[in-house]
Amino acid sequence: MTEILFAVFIFTLSAFLGFELISKVPPTLHTPLMSGSNAISGITIIGSLVVAGEEGSPLLTGLGLAALILATINVVGGFLVTDRMLRMFKRR
Amino acid sequence: METFIQVAYLLASVSFIVAIKMLSSPRTARLGNLIGAAGMLLGMIATLFYKEIVRYEWIGVGLAVGGALGAWTALSVKMTAMPQMVAILNGFGGAASALVAAAEAERALLSSHPSSAYFLTTIGLSVLIGAVTFSGSVIAFAKLQELISGRPVTLPLHHYQSLILLIGSIVALVGYVLGGGRVAMYGTALLSLLLGIWITLPIGGADMPVIVAFLNSLSGLAAAATGFVLNNYLLIISGTLVGASGLILTQIMSKAMNRSLWNVLFAAVGKGGPAAAAADRSIRSTTPEDVALMLSYAKDVVIVPGYGMAVAQAQHAVKKLMDALSAKGIEVRFAIHPVAGRMPGHMNVLLAEADVPYERLYEMERINPDFPQVDVALVIGANDVVNPAARKDPNSPLYGMPILEVDKAKSVVVLKRSMNPGFAGVENELFFQPNTYMLFGDARQSLEALTQALKEI
């Protein structure tokens, strides 16, 4: 039970932190914000690494491998494309 | 080893927070993104030290294939195609979360211990949210990429069907928690996949920023739900940050359209609103040469870009016009409506690509009071976001939506392909104003002719 409460605790605080952080991002950076935060949500990759690498049935490994490929596209593509965009924002 | 992994996860969490914090200014944003990427790498390396991981061959394959595909698309995608790129990446993230949860469900089925209701609930939620994110994003991608029609697609009683799918997914989820096993789990997945398709199909072009932001939020929440499944705080923190981010963007976008998220998801637009009879009303068509002359007498020019600029790939032509005007000592600013384009910040990225300094881009609230002093407002491929009916006509479907008040400028020039009404299917009063001139044609060609004519004056 304490474990569940602790997870909910972290979740709630993160939500408030997220709202605080994002409200400071100027509209001109909203697209990089989406692609960058999108790359961060690819964090699920660490779950897929474990499933793809642990001892398990072919079904489990298959699910893990599929998850890993999709998450890696998400992470690598997300960070790279964000970098490409942010490189273009210049001052006068 | 467990301590090392957890410390690495803590550092990764902090790096993500720092990354988003540094996005508060274009000067620090790029470094922030690098810090976020470094945090991700650290988290991944630490994970490889888990004692449960015994084989590395599939990990190698997955990273190589995913990395190559991700890098190739990220480096080759055009800036105008950014909305569909973000949409499909959202979908992949959501699908990955759902697949990890499904794998955990499969493992739990093999185990002799009964799973707790809490554990099953988190799996069910992760599958549900991840699946909706995936199928919804695929449809959004297909629409933005124009693989299918970008117009709203609705079946009879469409929104009731969506509601039934929503309820069905939740019922299947509850069934899974109550011991429904594999059938209930994959049932949840199937119904959620259909739900994602059903809520995205009726979304038309102009509503895309709302749905893309919403799917962005869902992809984060899916990761957070998977974090609950694995009891992994790094996933919970990162996923929730992204969920909050997407939710705020969704809110900003809905507000800019004067609609609620519920209204966007469960009510299609563009059906109502009788288009005023346009045939008997006169518009004034003009030529690039006349516009150039008008501009050469102006002191203060505001350019209003819209989706039409993206379609015509006209951002570089816009920059050349800006340079030509600046060379004559004319002040040029850009007015950006929050929902101009197909995703939040779409116009800003395109103009940044064309080397327009971001200090010249003005948000709606900041530039609206200035319009009465503006000599020429140049509207490039924008329509509904400059329709004065939003302010004046209570019968208009756009009524109440905050707009860029270009109609108050001394002169207005509208670059447009034809007289077709905008996405909402609403006639635009702006085009019939006595101080409005229409310059018909492809935006890029018109701009090039305009710049050329200006240079010859």
Side-chain angles (χ1 to χ4, degrees), chain B residues 209-220:
Chain B
V210 184
I211 197 78
V212 174
F214 181 60
L215 290 167
N216 186 231
S217 175
L218 284 186
S219 79

Side-chain angles (χ1 to χ4, degrees), chain B residues 86-141:
Chain B
V86 170
I88 200 68
L89 287 178
N90 280 336
F92 287 171
S97 294
L99 287 169
V100 170
E104 291 300 318
E106 287 290 345
R107 201 209 327 269
L109 286 169
L110 296 176
S111 151
S112 48
H113 303 286
S115 306
S116 70
Y118 165 74
F119 183 66
L120 294 174
T121 309
T122 57
I123 287 182
L125 278 175
S126 183
V127 167
L128 190 156
I129 303 173
V132 170
T133 313
F134 176 65
S135 62
S137 298
V138 168
I139 298 294
F141 170 82

Side-chain angles (χ1 to χ4, degrees), chain B residues 342-356:
Chain B
R342 289 294 180 262
M343 73 182 298
H346 191 185
M347 292 299 117
N348 308 68
V349 166
L350 292 183
L351 292 171
E353 187 198 11
D355 273 336
V356 174

Side-chain angles (χ1 to χ4, degrees), chain B residues 56-112:
Chain B
Y56 290 89
E57 66 270 24
W58 291 118
I59 291 180
V61 170
L63 289 176
V65 172
L69 285 174
W72 176 69
T73 41
L75 297 176
S76 60
V77 64
K78 278 191 172 171
M79 283 299 149
T80 41
M82 211 43 82
Q84 47 268 50
M85 174 80 180
V86 170
I88 200 68
L89 287 178
N90 280 336
F92 287 171
S97 294
L99 287 169
V100 170
E104 291 300 318
E106 287 290 345
R107 201 209 327 269
L109 286 169
L110 296 176
S111 151
S112 48

Side-chain angles (χ1 to χ4, degrees), chain B residues 234-271:
Chain B
L234 173 57
L235 255 77
I236 297 180
I237 294 171
S238 328
T240 310
L241 286 176
V242 179
S245 154
L247 212 56
I248 291 188
L249 289 176
T250 311
Q251 245 176 354
I252 296 175
M253 295 302 122
S254 325
K255 223 192 217 163
M257 306 194 59
N258 194 34
R259 302 173 67 191
S260 67
L261 176 62
W262 181 266
N263 185 266
V264 172
L265 292 183
F266 293 103
V269 76
K271 304 270 178 204

